[in-house]
Amino acid sequence: MGSLFRSEEMQLCQLLLQTEATYACVSELGELGLVQFKDLNSSVNAFQRKFVNEVRRCEEMERKLRYIEKEILKEGLRIYDVTDNPKAPAPKEMNDLELEFEKMDSELRQVNTNNEALKQNYLELTELKEVLGGAQSYFAMYGNNIQHLVEEETSHEEAIIGMKSQQGNLGYYVGTLLREKVPVFERVLRFVTHGTVFVHVEEISRTFQDPITGDEMHKCMFVVFFQGEQLRNKVKKVNEGLRGTIYPVPDTPAERNEMLVGVSTRLDDLENVLAQSNDHRLRVLGNAQKEMRAWTIKVEKIKAIYHTMNMFKVHQSSLIAECWFPVKALDDIRRALTVGEKQSGSSIPSVIQRMDTHEAPPTYYSCNKFVKGFQNIVDSYGVATYGEVNPAPYTIITFPFLFAVMFGDAGHGLIMFLFGLYLCVKEKELAAKKINNEIFTTFFGGRYIILLMGLFSIYTGMIYNDVFSKSLNIFGTEWDLTGITIPELEAKEDIELHPTMTHRNKTAYFFGVDPIWQSATNKIQFMNSLKMKMAIILGVSQMLFGICLSVFNHLHFRHYFDILVEFVPELLFLGCLFGYLVALVFYKWLMFDAESCAPALLIHYINMFMFKYVGKPQPTKTDPHPCDPQYVFYSGQQTIQTLLFMLAILCVPVLLLGKPIYVVLKKRMSSRRQFAHLSHPTDPLLSNEVGPANGFNKKGLKEGLESQVNPAYQHDEADAGIGNGNRVDPPSTVMSLNSDEETEDDMAKHGASEAQSHGGGHDDLDTGEMFIHQAIHTIEFCLGCISHTASYLRLWALSLAHAQLSEVLWSMVLRLGLTMGGRYVGGPITFVIFFVWANLTVGILLLMEGLSAFLHTLRLHWVEFQSKFYKGEGYHFQPFSFDYIHEMQTLEEAT
Amino acid sequence: MMPEISFNIDHGYLEGLLRGFKSGILKQADYLNLIQCETLDDLKLHLQSTDYGNFLANEPSPLTVSVIDDKLREKLVIEVEHMRNHALEPLSTFLDYIKYSYMIDNVILLITGTLHGRPIHELLPKCHPLGTFDQLAAINLANTSIMLYNAVLVDTPLAPYIKDCISAEDLDEMNVEIIRNTLYKSYLEDFYNFCKKQGGATADVMCEALAFDADRRAFIITINSFGTELSKEDRMKLYPRCGNLYPTGLKMLGECDDYDQVKAVADYYPQYKELFENSGSNPGDKTLEDKFFEHEVKLMKKAFMQQFQFGVFYAYIRLKEQENRNILWIGECVAQRHRAKIDSYIPIF
């Protein structure tokens, strides 16, 4: 069977790895990405595990890398992607890496501290320069003599109390302050000094750089005049509290100028030094930049390996791991292990040892990118129970098809197809861009679905003959319009064309719907009849198909009897009731034309349940062909319909009671047989004919068959999960790398005896519960058949809605534009209106209608189709793989 | 109109968010894991698997308790600030009220610091970020309570609270304590009235919580005042008058001279009687403080039982504070290798 039909065959194995080889082996397995390890230490705290120190060292390295990365990104440098895939370094190299990071980290930190100090210095000097300049102009405005200034100030600004009397010892402070702190500064000064100081604040136009964070800062320069020592202290304290800086500014303009010159030269020097130190920093970062990505991948890999190794159990000089993997990957795994051993130079080979367990294996399909999208649709309902039939392969066709039935418009389909095609063709480029937009990733992930949906929509659109709500006249019409002239058409509102007279081809149109229906007033009635019947046909066929798929489940799980008590009655029930309806539809299509007396199927179908039949009367003279849609329309109709109905009814008790009764009987039988069986615990025939997959067959267990079909043997490691304390001698069950039939045989023998001993645990199965369960299933199925068939009518409803909506859009928007404005204005109007129409078409018809059709299709698959055979109670196979590391763009994402 | 109907329009988002935060509070199982830690790095490793996530990931080893403290506080502050920024009236005022208590703490911290001659720029980073305000910077000017009022508090929300204790006396340790308690008293009473005004479930939950807080302060002030020069009249003035003890209990407390008398007062109130009875200073006994904390946790957990009310916000911050205390306690015990009392944390859930 193809790998998509059901899950890959999975196998639980125990890996015995030599301690020194474990790291390399796990690393190789991680590159392979086909092994899922079980956590054998789930009861142990994270910090009490064996390799917690290594994990911690990795975290420390991560931290340093994050710091370096942050610095690189801060400089606006890019982190280059690596093309090759650096392998996880050997544990020995971890020390080198650590040393390297340590060196890099400390170097960078040192450079940064130096830089910060320099920048701080630079900041102070630039501030001083600004302050000096500001003070110079401020004082120049009010005179260079401070004492003189005071007099001006007192008359100029709000009078300072008592100033005039003690002009002698007036002091001032000049400094800078962050702009946002100025209001507080002024307010606090006013409260503290009761308004006895004069504050002048001026904004400095240039911005400064914060030496530590690199952010821009806006600063203000302030000049505070005060009197007396006490006030000086207060001003100083307030300034201190608000982190302002006071600069010494000399009293006379000459001194100030001198200072300004001095500051300028020092600034120039400092700028040089800063530039050099910046160069150095860039060099350091540049070195790191090249290696960054490779480092990140290496560290992440080491961390992942140790995380995995923390899940292993220690056993003497080796580590024991339990893992699931697909059976067909066994050779790859062996190869990976051998490579790992060779790398680590370990002499003792690792051992893979098969284990049988009652735990359900994970479900795994090896999908390609095309199938992936469809598999995701199925998985989001529920991951298939291991071994169950996977609906995904059928979904590939049915999903786009049912979608297209609802979305049937060739024009819209074409746009959707082109969009899907674009995504698929540009696939690699788009994927490389790693766009994180959620909406985009959704569309991108479903690109193949969109492509197929578009393609199928074109097909159904051609069948409905709908292109942007218009029809294409490709094959001409089959209606005879020869007798009708144009004046006649213009004169009359409508002309009735009778099919018996004017329809040329009396069987069927060549392809799709005759375009003449586009202009018919009864177009909707005609299309409704067509689409409604089609919906029923499609629905019933899909459900029947679903029921047929359940056979494969019964066969696979060896519930042979279920075919008789479940599949057959289900098939009969649906087939007799709704399959018959479908047959009637075809019968009516094929056997009746405009001349004959067509039956009303709906009435007939209802009458079938009410056993009401209206016989055809003998033709009379007044009415040679008596016609009523209620008349019986084929001979033996009553017999056949009654028979079908009875058959369907009879299926219900079989469905209801068949399985539980069978199980109860079976259980009684087997308990009687068990005693006899015990005396021959190793029956080679029986244990050899069973494959390992049957060990997981719970149903088989329930039915007391486990003594035959479950050659389950358990190793002591697996005990906890199963709750069975039986131990098996390890040496006898070891299957070494070069396993041969002997050991397998041995194992099977063990299995047989083993299974005996724990068969008792499942013996007292709750029969009542099973009856109830089956009753629920029966009711669900029978009612479901009716409601699900009705549910498929959404195919018709949505396609009707879509057609109507696009017709409204055409006639209310575009046609309005086309008829407006006459000869000269019409062009521009149409130009504008077209955009409105095109946008509405894309927005409403493609996106909204598309989404709604998508959702309805999803529902039809999940509920109506899958409920017939799909349980979806499994869980995903999540192999240990390094792939996610390559997806990761920055270390920040890892945290 | 019933306020419950329209509650979610304004505050639904924040309540939902908060209840999400609440489910991140460490459980008993987490504590059991934490106390098994050998080093602070183990502690970090375990906290990584909880709601704290990678909050310590960028800290170099070896860790210290103070780093953990900073980070814990930072996390809480970010959450509270986020909620405050998204809050609408009256929730925003309610959250502001919660912040006032941190402001009071900061003012007192700075005054005590400056009294001991520590420079202001060293003290400012120690303030709780939830209670910082610009004027705090000028606190080193305050050497009397008048100055404190004028320079620092006059245009802050705390201004009305300090009215009762303005004096020209120089600040000393005693004064500072009195100021702290007066501020707290006025604050609690104000907050109590505000919550009462809100009515509904908010009033139910918050009044109970604040009443307990008030009573606890009254008990603790009384017990701490023994052997100090605080007169009984002054002490009486410090009791917040919004608790269950008011008025009779407070009056009796005001007369107390020793611990046994306090205990006798508590006997009249069944909820406090229990706390006093089960506490003691013997080894193995829980201290009264811990008993109070335990009772507080119980009350706060109860607050989550009701919906459409602000009490959950208060309760969450309180519980988170308790959790931080717990983690720090365990952290200290681990760091000092003093494991004997490691399990005297107060489990929350």
Side-chain angles (χ1 to χ4, degrees):
Chain A
M1 279 294 171
S3 59
L4 259 186
F5 184 65
R6 51 175 109 249
S7 165
E8 300 268 345
E9 202 179 325
M10 304 302 282
Q11 175 66 48
L12 181 67
C13 272
Q14 200 173 47
L15 284 181
L16 267 168
L17 299 162
Q18 296 307 307
T19 314
E20 67 272 16
T22 310
Y23 181 89
C25 290
V26 173
S27 157
E28 286 300 319
L29 290 178
E31 300 288 350
L32 186 65
L34 278 173
V35 179
Q36 175 181 352
F37 290 101
K38 271 168 70 177
D39 191 356
L40 301 180
N41 298 326
S42 47
S43 56
V44 183
N45 270 335
F47 51 84
Q48 285 165 340
R49 299 195 175 196
K50 188 161 193 286
F51 297 100
V52 69
N53 274 329
E54 282 78 2
V55 172
R56 215 171 265 161
R57 273 163 72 192
C58 290
E59 270 168 12
E60 185 68 17
M61 286 196 277
E62 264 184 345
R63 187 182 62 76
K64 281 173 187 150
L65 279 182
R66 260 201 306 274
Y67 176 71
I68 300 170
E69 188 182 82
K70 206 180 81 202
E71 293 295 318
I72 292 176
L73 293 178
K74 208 159 89 182
E75 271 323 308
L77 300 174
R78 262 189 65 230
I79 290 171
Y80 298 114
D81 233 336
V82 282
T83 43
D84 59 330
N85 173 15
K87 287 219 164 185
K92 282 172 292 195
E93 289 169 46
M94 197 167 144
N95 289 332
D96 299 343
L97 273 183
E98 263 178 337
L99 278 179
E100 200 168 346
F101 295 161
E102 179 64 50
K103 211 182 92 199
M104 184 66 83
D105 184 70
S106 58
E107 192 175 357
L108 206 57
R109 277 181 201 274
Q110 204 185 348
V111 169
N112 276 355
T113 11
N114 286 345
N115 246 1
E116 267 162 31
L118 282 175
K119 276 187 186 157
Q120 180 66 40
N121 210 337
Y122 181 75
L123 175 75
E124 273 166 21
L125 278 178
T126 37
E127 271 184 33
L128 179 54
K129 194 176 153 194
E130 290 295 326
V131 164
L132 280 173
Q136 194 76 308
S137 55
Y138 177 71
F139 288 131
M141 210 185 297
Y142 299 107
N144 288 333
N145 190 337
I146 303 268
Q147 296 310 328
H148 168 68
L149 182 73
V150 173
E151 279 158 35
E152 288 222 2
E153 277 304 330
T154 43
S155 55
H156 184 257
E157 292 277 344
E158 47 187 291
I160 300 167
I161 306 157
M163 189 62 92
K164 277 187 179 153
S165 54
Q166 324 169 353
Q167 281 165 1
N169 38 13
L170 189 69
Y172 66 95
Y173 272 136
V174 182
T176 57
L177 194 66
L178 281 176
R179 193 169 64 183
E180 60 266 28
K181 296 226 169 136
V182 167
V184 185
F185 180 69
E186 286 179 336
R187 202 168 52 215
V188 171
L189 270 186
R190 199 168 63 242
F191 285 133
V192 169
T193 61
H194 305 288
T196 53
V197 294
F198 171 71
V199 187
H200 171 84
V201 179
E202 208 175 287
E203 196 175 324
I204 300 173
S205 53
R206 63 168 293 178
T207 56
F208 301 91
Q209 212 189 14
D210 190 303
I212 295 159
T213 58
D215 295 341
E216 280 205 338
M217 305 189 290
H218 290 272
K219 289 209 165 189
C220 282
M221 173 194 134
F222 64 84
V223 187
V224 184
F225 295 97
F226 48 81
Q227 203 173 25
E229 203 51 35
Q230 230 183 344
L231 282 178
R232 171 191 293 273
N233 256 336
K234 282 185 176 171
V235 173
K236 206 171 159 187
K237 275 186 174 173
V238 171
N239 175 61
E240 229 171 68
L242 290 171
R243 295 289 187 95
T245 334
I246 289 174
Y247 291 100
V249 173
D251 279 348
T252 63
E255 277 173 304
R256 285 201 289 269
N257 265 337
E258 204 175 301
M259 198 165 169
L260 198 60
V261 173
V263 168
S264 297
T265 45
R266 269 166 66 199
L267 259 181
D268 289 342
D269 293 347
L270 203 57
E271 264 166 18
N272 272 335
V273 180
L274 253 179
Q276 275 170 16
S277 104
N278 229 6
D279 278 350
H280 178 57
R281 184 180 137 88
L282 281 180
R283 259 200 313 282
V284 174
L285 286 179
N287 288 339
Q289 185 193 7
K290 282 177 224 138
E291 299 284 339
M292 194 63 208
R293 185 81 189 136
W295 283 344
T296 314
I297 292 176
K298 279 183 188 167
V299 171
E300 287 302 314
K301 279 188 178 174
I302 302 176
K303 195 177 161 194
I305 291 171
Y306 281 117
H307 256 305
T308 311
M309 283 165 69
N310 268 337
M311 299 202 274
F312 297 176
K313 269 214 164 129
V314 186
H315 186 260
Q316 290 160 4
S317 69
S318 54
L319 288 172
I320 297 172
E322 274 177 29
C323 55
W324 288 106
F325 57 79
V327 170
K328 72 173 188 190
L330 186 63
D331 288 335
D332 293 331
I333 290 163
R334 285 200 178 131
R335 211 170 301 127
L337 288 180
T338 329
V339 173
E341 282 152 23
K342 221 173 267 169
Q343 269 174 12
S344 55
S346 158
S347 51
I348 313 162
S350 315
V351 177
I352 304 181
Q353 196 174 301
R354 271 162 45 138
M355 295 173 73
D356 273 313
T357 170
H358 298 299
E359 208 180 316
T363 306
Y364 169 65
Y365 310 100
S366 48
C367 298
N368 55 25
K369 61 187 175 184
F370 175 71
V371 184
K372 191 90 197 133
F374 296 96
Q375 187 67 54
N376 281 341
I377 286 179
V378 172
D379 284 350
S380 34
Y381 174 75
V383 179
T385 315
Y386 178 73
E388 195 172 36
V389 167
N390 180 17
Y394 319 107
T395 307
I396 294 174
I397 294 302
T398 55
F399 192 89
F401 182 67
L402 289 191
F403 172 85
V405 169
M406 293 187 256
F407 197 71
D409 188 307
H412 302 151
L414 185 69
I415 297 175
M416 184 176 270
F417 173 71
L418 290 178
F419 176 64
L421 195 67
Y422 168 78
L423 289 182
C424 293
V425 170
K426 294 264 172 188
E427 184 176 67
K428 283 204 177 117
E429 293 161 49
L430 289 171
K433 275 188 195 160
K434 293 184 178 166
I435 303 168
N436 273 331
N437 184 330
E438 205 184 330
I439 294 173
F440 176 78
T441 43
T442 312
F443 279 119
F444 187 67
R447 57 192 181 277
Y448 289 101
I449 305 176
I450 294 176
L451 185 78
L452 282 191
M453 290 192 311
L455 203 63
F456 280 69
S457 296
I458 298 175
Y459 172 70
T460 50
M462 295 308 285
I463 287 189
Y464 297 156
N465 215 340
D466 255 348
V467 182
F468 297 114
S469 83
K470 297 278 113 186
S471 289
L472 294 181
N473 189 2
I474 301 174
F475 305 109
T477 176
E478 289 294 331
W479 292 77
D480 189 8
L481 303 173
T482 41
I484 301 156
T485 55
I486 289 180
E488 206 178 341
L489 261 180
E490 278 170 352
K492 285 192 188 170
E493 194 128 292
D494 46 30
I495 300 166
E496 201 167 306
L497 297 175
H498 200 273
T500 43
M501 320 292 218
T502 49
H503 197 227
R504 275 187 228 129
N505 173 355
K506 288 188 179 166
T507 53
Y509 189 67
F510 179 64
F511 179 82
V513 172
D514 194 319
I516 201 170
W517 284 104
Q518 179 67 29
S519 47
T521 45
N522 60 343
K523 181 192 177 195
I524 289 190
Q525 282 90 326
F526 172 72
M527 291 305 267
N528 277 355
S529 151
L530 172 74
K531 286 178 177 172
M532 210 186 315
K533 288 180 176 123
M534 222 170 68
I536 296 289
I537 294 170
L538 292 175
V540 173
S541 353
Q542 200 186 17
M543 287 192 292
L544 281 174
F545 179 58
I547 292 178
C548 292
L549 283 180
S550 70
V551 175
F552 293 98
N553 278 340
H554 296 318
L555 286 177
H556 179 80
F557 293 116
R558 308 201 169 206
H559 303 162
Y560 299 120
F561 200 74
D562 281 2
I563 298 179
L564 208 61
V565 293
E566 276 202 345
F567 164 68
V568 173
E570 280 180 0
L571 190 69
L572 281 178
F573 187 82
L574 186 65
C576 291
L577 296 183
F578 294 99
Y580 175 65
L581 179 62
V582 171
L584 285 187
V585 169
F586 279 107
Y587 183 75
K588 183 180 174 184
W589 275 347
L590 294 175
M591 303 305 286
F592 296 91
D593 56 21
E595 284 159 64
S596 46
C597 181
L601 289 186
L602 194 62
I603 310 271
H604 277 281
Y605 196 61
I606 293 171
N607 283 348
M608 169 178 165
F609 293 98
M610 306 179 74
F611 303 106
K612 216 170 96 185
Y613 296 94
V614 183
K616 213 180 211 170
Q618 289 301 315
T620 57
K621 266 179 198 150
T622 46
D623 189 5
H625 296 287
C627 185
D628 188 312
Q630 290 206 29
Y631 291 160
V632 171
F633 59 98
Y634 66 93
S635 56
Q637 188 185 358
Q638 184 162 6
T639 332
I640 291 178
Q641 287 189 350
T642 316
L643 210 67
L644 286 176
F645 185 57
M646 286 304 158
L647 203 57
I649 296 296
L650 276 179
C651 288
V652 179
V654 177
L655 201 56
L656 188 65
L657 301 171
K659 194 176 171 189
I661 290 176
Y662 167 72
V663 172
V664 171
L665 286 180
K666 194 82 194 167
K667 206 167 68 185
R668 277 195 202 148
M669 293 271 283
S670 70
S671 59
R672 229 174 288 154
R673 242 189 328 177
Q674 195 146 32
F675 182 73
H677 194 80
L678 264 174
S679 49
H680 316 283
T682 52
D683 186 339
L685 264 176
L686 279 175
S687 35
N688 274 350
E689 68 183 25
V690 182
N694 299 305
F696 319 121
N697 185 341
K698 279 185 182 161
K699 282 272 158 59
L701 264 176
K702 284 180 187 169
E703 290 160 23
L705 288 167
E706 65 273 43
S707 48
Q708 301 164 39
V709 297
N710 282 311
Y713 103 93
Q714 288 169 294
H715 196 264
D716 47 346
E717 305 300 334
D719 283 354
I722 297 144
N724 191 310
N726 286 323
R727 289 192 166 225
V728 176
D729 235 5
S732 66
T733 56
V734 165
M735 184 182 73
S736 71
L737 269 173
N738 329 310
S739 84
D740 46 52
E741 277 170 34
E742 229 174 25
T743 41
E744 206 160 357
D745 212 30
D746 191 23
M747 201 173 88
K749 276 181 203 164
H750 262 280
S753 56
E754 174 83 7
Q756 285 299 322
S757 50
H758 66 81
H762 301 279
D763 232 26
D764 40 311
L765 181 77
D766 195 354
T767 325
E769 199 177 306
M770 201 169 53
F771 271 99
I772 290 171
H773 183 260
Q774 191 63 23
I776 291 172
H777 175 78
T778 310
I779 294 169
E780 200 179 88
F781 178 81
C782 296
L783 292 183
C785 275
I786 298 161
S787 68
H788 288 175
T789 310
S791 180
Y792 273 101
L793 286 177
R794 72 185 71 228
L795 290 175
W796 155 56
L798 261 92
S799 116
L800 174 73
H802 186 84
Q804 287 305 299
L805 211 59
S806 66
E807 200 170 312
V808 164
L809 207 59
W810 182 281
S811 58
M812 300 298 232
V813 181
L814 194 59
R815 201 168 63 194
L816 221 61
L818 288 169
T819 51
M820 256 197 308
R823 187 173 293 175
Y824 299 106
V825 197
I829 289 184
T830 311
F831 184 78
V832 175
I833 291 285
F834 174 77
F835 277 102
V836 177
W837 176 78
N839 278 323
L840 287 177
T841 298
V842 172
I844 296 178
L845 289 176
L846 273 151
L847 284 173
M848 277 169 56
E849 277 281 299
L851 266 179
S852 108
F854 184 91
L855 284 179
H856 282 284
T857 320
L858 206 61
R859 185 219 139 94
L860 284 180
H861 278 86
W862 281 352
V863 180
E864 275 77 24
F865 175 52
Q866 294 184 5
S867 68
K868 300 289 178 292
F869 65 99
Y870 189 67
K871 291 234 166 37
E873 287 164 348
Y875 64 100
H876 264 303
F877 176 56
Q878 285 167 319
F880 166 63
S881 160
F882 290 142
D883 283 347
Y884 76 97
I885 293 171
H886 299 288
E887 301 288 314
M888 209 162 66
Q889 285 186 329
T890 57
L891 264 173
E892 285 301 325
E893 278 175 38
T895 58
Chain B
M1 264 312 246
M2 296 195 311
E4 286 80 8
I5 291 175
S6 56
F7 184 89
N8 275 351
I9 299 173
D10 285 345
H11 317 299
Y13 163 65
L14 285 182
E15 192 182 350
L17 186 74
L18 185 104
R19 284 180 187 269
F21 284 154
K22 174 224 162 197
S23 54
I25 289 179
L26 297 185
K27 309 275 183 300
Q28 180 64 24
D30 294 311
Y31 285 115
L32 288 181
N33 277 328
L34 284 181
I35 57 173
Q36 290 175 33
C37 292
E38 299 279 334
T39 63
L40 288 182
D41 282 311
D42 289 347
L43 200 80
K44 169 177 158 185
L45 207 63
H46 181 76
L47 285 178
Q48 264 178 15
S49 64
T50 66
D51 212 44
Y52 282 100
N54 285 313
F55 82 122
L56 287 171
N58 279 333
E59 297 307 318
S61 327
L63 279 173
T64 59
V65 178
S66 66
V67 170
I68 298 179
D69 183 19
D70 287 346
K71 288 283 161 183
L72 287 173
R73 185 185 283 179
E74 194 183 304
K75 193 163 184 291
L76 177 64
V77 169
I78 289 171
E79 286 170 1
V80 174
E81 287 296 342
H82 178 85
M83 290 193 284
R84 173 64 188 88
N85 292 341
H86 288 82
L88 279 108
E89 278 297 342
L91 178 58
S92 48
T93 315
F94 181 85
L95 289 176
D96 281 340
Y97 265 108
I98 296 178
K99 284 168 123 190
Y100 295 163
S101 71
Y102 293 100
M103 286 166 73
I104 296 174
D105 285 342
N106 280 347
V107 168
I108 303 302
L109 174 91
L110 290 182
I111 296 178
T112 349
T114 36
L115 277 184
H116 288 98
R118 304 280 287 277
I120 183 91
H121 54 84
E122 213 174 89
L123 290 167
L124 274 176
K126 289 202 171 76
C127 287
H128 199 293
L130 279 182
T132 45
F133 50 101
D134 287 332
Q135 292 89 332
L136 265 186
I139 207 148
N140 54 353
L141 291 167
N143 37 24
T144 63
S145 54
I146 298 181
M147 279 299 280
L148 179 68
Y149 177 75
N150 278 342
V152 187
L153 300 179
V154 65
D155 54 354
T156 66
L158 298 186
Y161 304 152
I162 203 176
K163 275 182 311 204
D164 295 338
C165 60
I166 293 178
S167 69
E169 266 180 77
D170 273 1
L171 288 171
D172 56 32
E173 299 231 357
M174 186 71 176
N175 268 335
V176 172
E177 270 309 305
I178 290 176
I179 288 176
R180 178 217 290 274
N181 285 313
T182 324
L183 282 175
Y184 249 112
K185 171 197 168 201
S186 318
Y187 158 70
L188 277 178
E189 287 169 4
D190 192 23
F191 196 9
Y192 186 88
N193 289 333
F194 172 79
C195 292
K196 207 160 192 176
K197 218 168 66 199
Q198 297 304 311
T202 304
D204 293 348
V205 172
M206 282 310 294
C207 288
E208 195 184 355
L210 291 174
F212 167 72
D213 210 17
D215 292 342
R216 173 167 65 178
R217 294 202 77 82
F219 279 123
I220 290 186
I221 289 169
T222 318
I223 293 168
N224 286 347
S225 70
F226 300 142
T228 61
E229 52 205 61
L230 190 68
S231 71
K232 279 184 181 167
E233 294 81 58
D234 285 345
R235 196 171 79 195
M236 198 63 191
K237 281 188 206 150
L238 299 179
Y239 295 153
R241 283 167 309 186
C242 56
N244 301 323
L245 294 177
Y246 178 74
T248 352
L250 289 185
K251 207 165 185 181
M252 287 191 285
L253 269 187
E255 303 299 324
C256 288
D257 285 317
D258 56 34
Y259 184 79
D260 289 331
Q261 288 178 4
V262 176
K263 206 170 165 181
V265 175
D267 279 351
Y268 292 109
Y269 298 87
Q271 70 267 44
Y272 301 128
K273 182 180 175 190
E274 199 189 335
L275 300 182
F276 273 85
E277 267 173 6
N278 294 329
S279 68
S281 47
N282 302 327
D285 285 353
K286 292 202 164 156
T287 59
L288 185 62
E289 204 188 353
D290 279 354
K291 290 303 274 188
F292 273 129
F293 277 138
E294 262 175 29
H295 189 71
E296 189 185 22
V297 165
K298 212 165 76 191
L299 274 182
M300 295 296 110
K301 264 160 49 180
K302 237 168 71 187
F304 282 97
M305 297 293 158
Q306 293 206 53
Q307 229 192 328
F308 307 129
Q309 45 103 5
F310 298 152
V312 286
F313 292 92
Y314 181 79
Y316 174 70
I317 293 171
R318 280 287 129 131
L319 288 179
K320 207 68 188 165
E321 289 276 349
Q322 183 57 47
E323 178 175 301
N324 291 357
R325 275 194 295 270
N326 287 344
I327 294 176
L328 290 181
W329 173 261
I330 294 173
E332 282 291 356
C333 286
V334 168
Q336 297 172 16
R337 310 217 156 275
H338 185 83
R339 308 188 67 89
K341 295 186 97 178
I342 196 163
D343 46 6
S344 51
Y345 58 88
I346 294 158
I348 298 174
F349 286 110

